[in-house]
């Protein structure tokens, strides 16, 4: 897959494209890209996903608390894995927001070689959001761009949308989010030094830092996880805690993400780490003592191993 960030690179009238944010690249997105690829191949064209660096809501409403399911690099990789030939990466700005749908179709035709446009079943674009697919098709006929509307995703766990998945993650329902996504929700960061109290009670943890600040964080609590460390592609079982460590304390009470990897003893400070969330275990609890915390962690480990072995 080739990432295109500048206009006039792709030959004219050579592209079948679709447009969207594609946050999370969930089951509905992959079905849309499959439809796009089928249409592109039938017409002898390459396929392109047109997307944006920053969510349009962040531009139009800078005070919004919207967070993303995936950082940009992961989103681009997931789109590539779905089979698109190109990703056209655009910067959404106020000038682009003022374009009506006809002007937008003309822009992608002239700048990115689009002669076929596939829209999602309920996708709207251009500032005149009262328009629908029939209007887009009429504009396309006038501009020499053929339009198709993809079917609604009605597969397992439908309906799916990025907003539904964000709500599930925020609520800690990471297993339901994974069903909608078609893959686990993940966080990526770097292993940093923490308080190292876990090591003292037999549960050493990797403190996950440098997480992309645009990415959503699940609800506070304990989770069963799978972990990839460094360049090792093999996932390791573990459990994670998101919260303020009420039994031990975080000093400044800031939220931390700590991962205990089962049966692992290596020195991984400074290594990149990927945490795949499997299932919510429990809310974060303040224990009466370190012994009580240790007992709870043993219970969490037992449950997590059962979950991972299912």
């Amino acid at each position: 897959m080739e990432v295109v960030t500048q206009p006039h690179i792709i030959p004219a009238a050579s592209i079948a494209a679709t447009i969207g944010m594609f946050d999370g690249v969930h089951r509905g997105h992959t079905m849309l890209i499959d439809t796009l690829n089928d249409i592109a191949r039938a017409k002898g064209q390459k396929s392109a996903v047109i997307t944006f660096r920053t969510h349009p809501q962040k531009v139009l409403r800078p005070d919004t608390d919207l967070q993303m399911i995936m950082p940009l690099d992961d989103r681009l990789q997931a789109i590539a894995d779905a089979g698109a030939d190109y990703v056209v990466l655009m910067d959404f700005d106020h000038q682009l927001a003022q374009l009506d749908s006809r002007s937008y179709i003309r822009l992608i035709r002239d700048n990115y070689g689009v002669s076929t446009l596939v829209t999602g079943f309920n996708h709207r674009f251009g500032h005149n959001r009262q328009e629908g697919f029939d209007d887009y098709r009429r504009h396309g006929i006038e501009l020499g761009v053929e339009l198709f509307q993809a079917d609604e995703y009605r597969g397992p766990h439908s309906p799916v949308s990025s907003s539904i998945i964000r709500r599930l993650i925020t609520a800690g329902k990471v297993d339901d989010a994974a069903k909608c996504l078609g893959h686990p929700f993940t966080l990526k960061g770097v292993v940093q030094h923490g308080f190292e109290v876990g090591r003292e009670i037999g549960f050493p943890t990797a403190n996950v830092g440098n997480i992309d600040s645009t990415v959503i964080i699940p609800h506070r609590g304990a989770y069963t996880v799978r972990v990839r460390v460094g360049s090792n592609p093999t996932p390791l079982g573990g459990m994670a805690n998101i919260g303020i460590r009420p039994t031990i304390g975080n000093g400044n009470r800031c939220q931390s993400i700590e991962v205990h990897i089962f049966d692992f003893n290596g020195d991984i400070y400074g290594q990149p780490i990927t945490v795949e969330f499997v299932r919510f275990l429990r809310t974060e609890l303040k224990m009466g003592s370190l012994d009580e915390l240790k007992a709870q962690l043993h219970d969490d480990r037992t449950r997590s191993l059962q979950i991972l072995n299912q």
Side-chain angles (χ1 to χ4, degrees), residues 26 69 160-170 177 180-181:
H26 55 60
I69 300 166
V160 299
S161 71
S162 298
S163 57
I164 289 172
I165 293 166
R166 289 189 198 103
R167 288 196 294 270
L168 291 171
I169 295 167
T170 301
C180 293
L181 285 164

Side-chain angles (χ1 to χ4, degrees), residues 16-23 25-41 46-51 78-79 81-86 116-125 133 147-155 160-162 180-181:
T18 190
I19 308 167
M21 197 64 201
F22 288 84
D23 186 24
V25 193
H26 55 60
R27 291 179 183 273
H29 291 145
T30 54
M31 191 190 86
L32 174 56
I33 295 173
D34 286 344
T35 300
L36 169 69
N37 285 331
D38 289 344
I39 292 171
R41 302 300 176 259
K46 296 289 188 180
S47 63
V49 171
I50 299 173
T51 190
I79 291 170
D81 292 342
D85 295 312
Y86 294 95
T116 305
L117 181 60
V118 182
T119 69
F121 82 99
N122 64 350
H123 184 67
R124 298 287 184 270
F125 59 89
F133 180 73
L147 271 91
F148 296 85
Q149 186 174 41
D151 294 332
E152 179 181 5
Y153 172 76
R154 295 184 179 274
V160 299
S161 71
S162 298
C180 293
L181 285 164

